[in-house]
Amino acid sequence: VDVNYLATGRDVLIVCVSTTDMPVRTSFDMLGRVEVKCRGDRQDWPSPSETLKRESEYANDPRNDIAKKVQGEIAEIQDIMMENMDKMLDRHDKLENMVQKSDALANEGQTFF
């Protein structure tokens, strides 16, 4: 297990215990969101069990992992760029072939003059 904590400087320590497969950034994101909700007087704090339940659900939802979203978008862009490079190389080959054929035709045309 991993144990991450956030000391707020107001005699409050917020602790997140998670499995080792949870990214540390996710744990600290959750700690930060809980800390924001626990600002102010303690009597104004939301219910700890409800807050932790809601924040745990949010943290465990893969749709909320911004880093993974960005990594997925980067992978998509890399795939598109690779396809574009392949197309560009194919186009170059075709143009090179056309240049060779036009040179050959020009040479053949010279023999008729």
Side-chain angles (χ1 to χ4, degrees), residues 14 31-40:
I14 304 168
L31 288 170
R33 286 192 317 276
V34 170
E35 191 272 332
V36 166
K37 291 181 178 173
C38 294
R39 289 182 183 162

Side-chain angles (χ1 to χ4, degrees), residues 22-86:
M22 177 178 264
V24 173
R25 70 180 185 282
T26 304
S27 295
F28 278 101
D29 182 47
M30 182 177 139
L31 288 170
R33 286 192 317 276
V34 170
E35 191 272 332
V36 166
K37 291 181 178 173
C38 294
R39 289 182 183 162
D41 293 331
R42 290 186 186 198
Q43 70 246 14
D44 297 333
W45 289 2
S47 161
S49 60
E50 281 301 312
T51 300
L52 292 176
K53 179 181 177 190
R54 238 186 337 262
E55 293 304 326
S56 294
E57 288 170 355
Y58 181 88
N60 287 312
D61 188 344
R63 295 175 294 181
N64 297 324
D65 191 343
I66 294 171
K68 282 192 180 187
K69 284 180 188 178
V70 171
Q71 288 172 342
E73 290 171 3
I74 289 171
E76 270 183 52
I77 291 169
Q78 286 176 327
D79 290 344
I80 291 169
M81 292 304 294
M82 291 300 288
E83 287 176 24
N84 288 343
M85 291 295 291
D86 287 341

Side-chain angles (χ1 to χ4, degrees), residues 81-95:
M81 292 304 294
M82 291 300 288
E83 287 176 24
N84 288 343
M85 291 295 291
D86 287 341
K87 289 176 184 178
M88 192 171 70
L89 291 172
D90 286 344
R91 183 175 180 212
H92 174 30
D93 291 343
K94 289 177 184 178
L95 286 172

